[in-house]
Amino acid sequence: MSVALQEICIFAPSSKLTGKGNDFVTNGVPFYTSSSVQERYYETPTHFGPALIIGAAGSANVYYCEGPFAVTKSCYVLTLKNEAASRFDLEFIYYYLHSNIRILELGFQGVGVKQLPRNYVAELMIPELLLARQHKVIEILKRLQTIIHKNEGSISKLDKIAQMFFYRDFGDPILDNRFPKRPLNEMIQVEIGANIPQEALRARESEASYYLLKQSAVSGLGYFDETQCKAIYSWQPEWSRYLVRTGDLLFSRSNTPDLAGTAVYVFETAGNKLFPSTVYRIQCDRHIISGIYLSYVFNAENFHRYLQSYQTGTVVSMSNIPKTDLLKFEIPVPDMSSQQKFEQGITQINRLIGYKKVQLKTLEYLLTGLASTLFRETDYLDIKEELISLLQSSIVSGELPVDDFRRLELRQKLLEMIRTASESFGDVSLYDQAKEVLFALLDNQMMTQTMNAQEQKIDLHLS
């Protein structure tokens, strides 16, 4: 049985914040935008949790917050109706939507920065499971998401280290005057992306060979993520000029106010992705300026605020930075030897980020795959399913989930499955991980072993 979201949740009044201004602080309340990354904090809350926050512009995203928070006007905030509290846990609804983000993606409409209609959100169908089952689903997915957040945190720390190197070597591009400045029109060429008709993006029986990047590929995560794309089913050879190349600098020219003007450098690409009309491709004169250096200039906090002052647009949720204005900007230009030294350091950091991104994607695929099982409309959760999910997530994270096995039923199932050998797991890597967990449980005295002299074997016992 499923229930429409509007039957169990209510929409809170909209915020009036735009994401611009100087009211951001270090220790304020979380500030949510239509971006898939929450990284800023605001002085005062606009809402109080527990609540769902759903991005209404750009790309699909959903958050859950238990305490006070602030949002932009491009977000929907939903809270649970009092009469639904005995049937639903709001955090369960969050995990359902987060694990099935495609449901939200299908609702976006329009050209440029797409919008998610309120009535589409209101009519989303949510599976109604027993409340105890909902709590169990939350427990499992929260554990996996904790590992995901840990990987995201590692990527964020590496990115902050890179930013620290930038400020150390070059200072603030707005406030410091240690390097001579030159207008961008002397150093770069700017190309607007492909305007692919919707007809070419409609699904066909044939497989797609080329893909159009989404907005989130350029501005959502702070690094280039070409998995954020949609298939092109009707290909035209002349579109090949818009294929993204290694060494490109992609600049979000049309986006929500807080994301317009963000940029990413393409360290590597599969070579089959096109950049959209909402994005500029910037090609740098390598004798004067480095694309990597320029990407950090664009994303520097004060320079990005400077870019925002040039945003145009009549739609509240969408801003544009015209090419003519962009080319007039003057930026500090250090000597090429300093820029190349910076490039080398950033390239090494990017390799580490790339490794973490692979781990992160593996965990996200695991979360999505696991969700299809967890959200089935049954009144129980198979203990084997829970054990398998624990082993899978521990393989990716590299950490043995010893504390989770304080539950007697998990230890019983582990022992039972190990005794029936690898066939119970269906995957030798899971079987090997189960044995590693068993040895850890023995070390932590959560299991014991005795010698069976009569049968000449070691017996295992639950502690």
Side-chain angles (χ1 to χ4, degrees), residues 144 147 362-363 365-367 369-370 384-399 401 425 427 429-430 433-434:
L144 186 54
I147 301 172
T362 303
L363 285 165
Y365 288 140
L366 175 59
L367 179 65
L370 187 60
K384 179 179 177 180
E385 294 172 357
E386 186 175 357
L387 174 60
I388 293 296
S389 75
L390 275 173
L391 295 175
Q392 287 174 326
S393 59
S394 67
I395 289 173
V396 178
S397 69
E399 299 178 1
F425 296 91
D427 185 329
S429 64
L430 288 175
Q433 189 73 355

Side-chain angles (χ1 to χ4, degrees), residues 402 405 411 414 437-447:
V402 175
F405 283 87
R411 298 203 302 278
L414 178 73
V437 170
L438 175 62
F439 294 143
L441 295 178
L442 288 168
D443 288 341
N444 284 270
Q445 299 182 339
M446 295 167 70
M447 283 189 179

Side-chain angles (χ1 to χ4, degrees), residues 375-390:
F375 291 111
R376 288 183 313 196
E377 295 182 15
T378 57
D379 58 359
Y380 70 94
L381 180 64
D382 192 330
I383 195 68
K384 179 179 177 180
E385 294 172 357
E386 186 175 357
L387 174 60
I388 293 296
S389 75
L390 275 173

Side-chain angles (χ1 to χ4, degrees), residues 156-173 176 178-179 292-293 296-297 300 334 338-339 341-350 352-353:
S156 179
K157 287 178 183 177
L158 288 168
D159 184 54
K160 283 181 170 58
I161 290 171
Q163 293 177 32
M164 182 182 67
F165 287 164
F166 173 79
Y167 286 111
R168 181 199 65 185
D169 294 346
F170 307 115
D172 189 294
D176 289 357
R178 65 175 87 170
F179 302 107
I292 294 177
Y293 166 75
Y296 278 83
V297 172
S338 297
Q339 293 186 55
K341 182 179 179 182
F342 175 70
E343 270 194 351
Q344 292 169 2
I346 295 301
T347 301
Q348 291 177 347
I349 291 175
N350 184 71
L352 294 174
I353 289 177

Side-chain angles (χ1 to χ4, degrees), residues 72 116 136 140 164 168 258 276:
T72 65
L116 182 64
K136 178 60 66 178
I140 293 172
M164 182 182 67
R168 181 199 65 185
D258 55 318

